[in-house]
């Protein structure tokens, strides 16, 4: 588990800065996630899914494996209530874990997004993208990416892996925390998430879809996956085990569960921070596994980025004045992540060539291409 702690070092440093903030400081302004850049409105719908075929691996006495899944999708109109970024209970647990007890939970819970709860879906058929957050991160931290993809014509399933994050609230009001943190085996976590993803896809496009309206707008033959941290490792394992998933992205995740020597030919993208995930950096699994990718592939890193740069977390801490100086600004990190993730799925699910994937561009000088 020391590798997980190393991955979260930057967050711990931000937490220390939060604790050090004087009590007399003025309350921060309302927080916001940069607006998505697509032309489509974004709707959301959240589901509580129960996999009766599996006992929860982290808390067996809780019974069947339960997941909270938030869908983001192209909407016809901006109707309904604004999408809540987190519940207050989730935000409080997350901030407490960061050591940021002085930050009001409402400041995070009420972060403004650009999606509308239960908005009517747009007409059409859209690819499905599954997103899996980093270990201990709440699923909310990939909201900015999910909204972007939905605004560009994708249906997105953002999975909350129960007992693997600091703060998951269920419809009955109970909130679970990260039981797996500090005790779980990283390979086991990846295996659990691989099973979670397969179950969610089954519930969305299987014979008894949990969301009939969504089933009608999902192109069941065009499915991709992206994950942050161990969610990225899970993406490669899903690619190996689920033929329905055609293209995948690992965002700054160690390959704890390695890609086998036989590899696979499906397109795969590596997006990493500019320190540990450069060739020959202190995280060696990319050097080992990149040659095993036998299909279309890219290895891209962002200068001055860190582990959180591919999520909303740095976006929020920048607005609170709590980020470390000298790093990649949160809004810029999110913009880069959106650019390359969107381009990858456009090219490999929709068949629309995206030259931004071919090499460095003047518009994105932070992006380094390797091999």
């Amino acid at each position: 588990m020391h590798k997980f702690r190393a991955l979260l070092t930057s967050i711990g440093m931000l937490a220390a800065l939060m604790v050090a903030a004087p009590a007399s400081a003025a309350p921060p302004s309302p927080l916001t996630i940069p607006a998505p850049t697509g032309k489509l409105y974004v709707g959301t719908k959240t589901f509580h899914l129960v996999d009766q075929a599996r006992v929860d691996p982290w808390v067996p006495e809780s019974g069947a494996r339960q997941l909270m899944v938030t869908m983001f999708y192209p909407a016809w109109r901006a109707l309904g209530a604004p999408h809540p970024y987190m519940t207050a209970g989730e935000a409080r647990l997350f901030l407490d874990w960061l050591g940021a007890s002085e930050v009001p939970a409402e400041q995070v819970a009420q972060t403004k997004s650009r999606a509308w709860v239960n908005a009517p879906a747009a007409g059409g058929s859209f690819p499905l993208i599954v997103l899996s957050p980093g270990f201990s991160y709440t699923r909310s931290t990939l909201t900015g990416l999910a909204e972007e993809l939905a605004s560009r014509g994708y249906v997105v399933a953002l999975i909350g892996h129960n007992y693997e994050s600091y703060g998951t609230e269920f419809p009955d009001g109970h909130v679970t925390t990260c039981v797996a943190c500090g005790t779980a085996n990283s390979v086991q976590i990846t295996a659990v998430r691989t099973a979670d993803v397969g179950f969610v896809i089954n519930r969305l496009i299987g014979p008894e879809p949990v969301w009939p309206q969504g089933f009608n707008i999902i192109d069941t033959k065009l499915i991709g996956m992206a994950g942050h941290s161990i969610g990225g490792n899970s993406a490669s394992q899903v690619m190996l085990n689920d033929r329905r998933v055609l293209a995948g992205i690992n965002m700054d995740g160690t390959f704890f569960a390695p890609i086998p020597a036989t590899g696979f030919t499906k397109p795969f993208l590596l997006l990493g921070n500019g320190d540990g995930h450069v060739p020959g950096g202190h995280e060696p699994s990319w050097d080992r596994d990149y040659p095993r990718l036998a299909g279309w592939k890219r290895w891209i890193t962002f200068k001055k980025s860190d582990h959180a740069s591919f999520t909303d977390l740095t976006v929020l801490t920048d607005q609170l004045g709590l980020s470390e100086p000298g790093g990649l600004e949160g809004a810029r990190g999110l913009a880069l992540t959106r650019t390359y993730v969107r381009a990858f799925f456009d090219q490999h699910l929709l068949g629309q060539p995206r030259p931004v994937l071919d090499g460095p561009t003047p518009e994105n000088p932070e992006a380094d291409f390797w091999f």
Side-chain angles (χ1 to χ4, degrees), residues 148 334-344 356-357 364:
E148 172 70 12
L334 179 59
L336 289 165
T337 301
R338 285 172 163 180
T339 293
Y340 289 98
V341 169
R342 183 181 71 238
F344 174 80
V356 73
L357 296 171
N364 301 309

Side-chain angles (χ1 to χ4, degrees), residues 236 239-240 246 255 259-270 288-298 348:
S236 61
M239 298 273 287
L240 286 162
L246 305 180
F255 287 109
I259 296 173
T262 52
F264 56 76
T265 59
K266 297 176 182 178
F268 204 78
L269 172 64
L270 303 182
R288 179 196 66 206
D289 286 10
Y290 188 72
R292 299 175 179 179
L293 297 170
W296 186 101
K297 60 185 177 181
R298 293 290 186 274
H348 295 289

Side-chain angles (χ1 to χ4, degrees), residues 235-260:
S236 61
Q237 294 302 303
V238 168
M239 298 273 287
L240 286 162
N241 290 284
D242 196 325
R243 61 182 177 81
R244 297 171 298 182
V245 181
L246 305 180
I249 303 174
N250 180 343
M251 299 185 294
D252 215 51
T254 298
F255 287 109
F256 293 108
I259 296 173

Side-chain angles (χ1 to χ4, degrees), residues 18 21 28 36 77 83 101 148 159 182 187 189 231 259 267 289 298 320 324 356 368:
M18 290 180 177
R77 293 280 299 278
H83 171 66
S101 58
E148 172 70 12
I159 301 177
V187 175
I189 296 167
I259 296 173
D289 286 10
R298 293 290 186 274
L320 293 170
E324 291 184 90
V356 73
D368 288 321

Side-chain angles (χ1 to χ4, degrees), residues 15 38 43 55 58 63-64 133 142 145 152 159-160 172 178 183 224 240 293 321 324-325 332 339 346 349 370:
V55 173
W58 313 125
L142 292 180
L145 178 57
R152 294 283 185 154
I159 301 177
D172 64 2
C178 195
T183 60
L240 286 162
L293 297 170
E324 291 184 90
R332 182 58 181 159
T339 293
D346 286 351
L349 293 183
W370 305 99

Side-chain angles (χ1 to χ4, degrees), residues 24-44:
S24 59
S29 301
L31 306 181
T32 186
I33 301 298
T37 65
K39 296 181 180 180
L40 298 172
Y41 296 109
V42 178
T44 69

Side-chain angles (χ1 to χ4, degrees), residues 47 80 161 273 308:
F47 294 95
H161 303 276
N273 73 74

